[in-house]
């Protein structure tokens, strides 16, 4: 069998892969000891792989899927793709001197996702921000940040956009914004006008949907706060939710909680303006700046 790569702490992608491998093993009614014996691994390796403590080589994942009787080619490929993503040393490691471990986890999850769904109430999501908007936000962060670091953060954000929205197979991205986001002049009217014009431009990409939650709606399902839902290749039915706060990045992995956020996003989409009307509203506000 291929060697197991040790890691310092479980990453969200490894944990998600482990959850699915454990579910498949239990569904096949194979004990961890029996699986280890038949795969020529130790029982502790099986256990640590299923909890995300170690990274399992895709060749070993393939052997596990065969042992567990997974014959659906789409499911096999989806899990193997997740295994490959979980082992990658991503481009963001070049910026590890300015990225917190939380942000590294966030970017790795974002990079591995097959769909992104975001509901925002205060700021535009990073994938839709202009460089000037990002710079203005970073300048006003509560923690002191040196100008050189701010420029690196801007570079990272633009790289994320390039890797997800501008590649040959761009990630389907759905965004619902509270209308207040459009009226908050981050960086001043000039920067905000350019940002809104960029939002209209990106909102016309075939892989991007932008909707606005208008003031007229009043109370709605998203009043609990902003979040981003990352979906992974079907038919795995795995997802991770990022819930924002002032201190760190909270990655929600409980399946019940994830189903809750999926329902909330569905409902805010239903309450928000249609895409065409949303972009028309954004354009109208931009022209007024």
């Amino acid at each position: 069998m291929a060697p197991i790569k040790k890691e310092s702490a479980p990453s969200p992608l490894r944990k998600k892969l482990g959850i699915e491998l454990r579910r498949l093993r239990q569904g096949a009614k194979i004990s961890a000891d029996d699986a280890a014996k038949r795969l020529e691994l130790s029982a502790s390796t099986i256990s640590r792989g299923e909890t995300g403590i170690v990274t399992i080589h895709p060749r070993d994942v393939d052997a596990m899927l065969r042992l567990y009787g997974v014959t659906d080619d789409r499911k096999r490929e989806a899990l193997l793709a997740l295994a490959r993503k979980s082992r990658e040393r991503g481009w963001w490691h070049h910026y590890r001197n300015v990225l917190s471990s939380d942000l590294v986890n966030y970017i790795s999850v974002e990079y591995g996702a097959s769909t992104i769904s975001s509901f925002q109430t205060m700021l535009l999501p990073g994938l839709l921000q202009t460089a000037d908007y990002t710079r203005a936000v970073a300048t006003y962060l509560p923690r002191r940040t040196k100008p050189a670091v701010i420029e690196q953060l801007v570079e990272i954000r633009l790289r994320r956009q390039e890797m997800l929205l501008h590649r040959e197979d761009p990630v389907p991205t759905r965004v619902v914004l509270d209308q207040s986001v459009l009226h908050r002049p981050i960086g001043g009217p000039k920067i905000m006008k350019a940002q809104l014009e960029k939002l209209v431009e990106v909102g016309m990409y075939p892989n991007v949907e932008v909707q606005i939650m208008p003031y007229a709606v009043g109370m709605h399902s998203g009043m609990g706060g902003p979040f981003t839902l990352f979906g992974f290749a079907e038919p795995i039915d795995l997802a991770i939710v990022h819930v924002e706060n002032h201190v760190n990045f909270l990655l929600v992995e409980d399946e019940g909680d994830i189903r809750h956020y999926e329902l909330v996003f569905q409902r805010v989409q239903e309450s928000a303006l249609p895409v065409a009307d949303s972009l028309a509203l954004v354009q109208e506000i931009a022209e007024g700046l």
Side-chain angles (χ1 to χ4, degrees):
M1 303 297 287
I4 300 294
K5 179 183 177 182
K6 294 183 179 181
E7 301 288 351
S8 57
S11 76
L13 293 186
R14 293 203 309 272
K15 290 172 70 175
K16 279 297 178 184
L17 176 62
I19 288 171
E20 185 67 7
L21 290 175
R22 182 174 65 248
R23 188 189 70 78
L24 291 170
R25 177 179 59 74
Q26 292 174 341
K29 301 187 183 307
I30 298 175
S31 69
D33 287 339
D34 190 28
K37 183 182 299 183
R38 295 166 69 174
L39 293 168
E40 300 181 0
L41 296 170
S42 68
S44 64
T45 296
I46 295 292
S47 175
R48 289 181 298 158
E50 292 180 352
T51 55
I53 295 175
V54 297
T55 298
I56 307 176
H57 195 283
R59 289 195 297 271
D60 291 348
V61 172
D62 183 60
M64 291 176 182
L65 297 180
R66 294 178 188 278
L67 176 61
Y68 303 157
V70 179
T71 58
D72 186 315
D73 288 339
R74 289 178 60 244
K75 185 161 191 171
R76 288 176 58 83
E77 182 50 42
L79 284 166
L80 289 170
L82 186 58
R84 289 190 289 269
K85 287 286 185 181
S86 70
R87 288 176 57 85
E88 285 185 13
R89 185 175 179 83
W91 57 265
W92 52 88
H93 285 279
H94 176 71
Y95 301 95
R96 59 187 179 277
N97 61 315
V98 299
L99 292 174
S100 66
S101 59
D102 285 336
L103 191 50
V104 166
N105 277 341
Y106 181 91
I107 295 175
S108 68
V109 170
E110 180 183 70
Y111 181 67
S114 58
T115 62
I116 299 174
S117 304
S118 183
F119 173 65
Q120 298 296 322
T121 61
M122 298 295 291
L123 298 168
L124 271 85
L127 290 179
L128 305 184
Q129 292 180 8
T130 64
D132 284 337
Y133 186 99
T134 296
R135 193 174 290 111
V137 172
T139 300
Y140 284 94
L141 289 175
R143 299 172 181 171
R144 286 185 172 274
T145 306
K146 297 179 180 179
V149 173
I150 289 177
E151 291 308 309
Q152 284 185 294
L153 293 174
V154 171
E155 184 178 335
I156 291 168
R157 186 144 296 179
L158 296 179
R159 183 72 182 277
R160 285 166 54 197
Q161 295 174 10
E162 177 186 348
M163 297 298 293
L164 295 171
L165 301 182
H166 302 292
R167 66 192 194 193
E168 290 186 3
D169 57 336
V171 177
T173 302
R174 302 175 296 175
V175 176
V176 178
L177 301 173
D178 187 85
Q179 186 175 342
S180 61
V181 175
L182 309 180
H183 295 285
R184 186 169 293 105
I186 303 297
K190 182 178 179 180
I191 288 177
M192 193 63 193
K193 179 181 178 65
Q195 172 62 78
L196 294 182
E197 291 173 344
K198 178 68 173 180
L199 180 60
V200 173
E201 176 188 336
V202 177
M204 297 178 70
Y205 290 0
N207 61 300
V208 177
E209 291 183 8
V210 174
Q211 291 180 262
I212 305 301
M213 181 71 73
Y215 291 139
V217 170
M219 290 292 293
H220 56 79
S221 298
M223 298 296 284
F227 63 91
T228 300
L229 175 66
F230 299 102
F232 293 86
E234 295 181 353
I236 302 179
D237 192 28
L238 294 179
I240 296 176
V241 175
H242 166 236
V243 181
E244 300 183 19
N245 65 25
H246 289 284
V247 180
N248 51 28
F249 292 92
L250 301 179
L251 293 172
V252 177
E253 300 170 341
D254 178 81
E255 295 303 315
D257 290 342
I258 288 171
R259 299 289 88 79
H260 166 77
Y261 281 105
E262 288 177 336
L263 179 60
V264 170
F265 191 79
Q266 177 185 333
R267 288 179 174 173
V268 295
Q269 277 194 302
E270 293 170 351
S271 299
L273 294 173
V275 172
D277 293 344
S278 295
L279 295 182
L281 177 59
V282 175
Q283 186 64 51
E284 178 184 340
I285 296 173
E287 292 173 355
L289 290 175

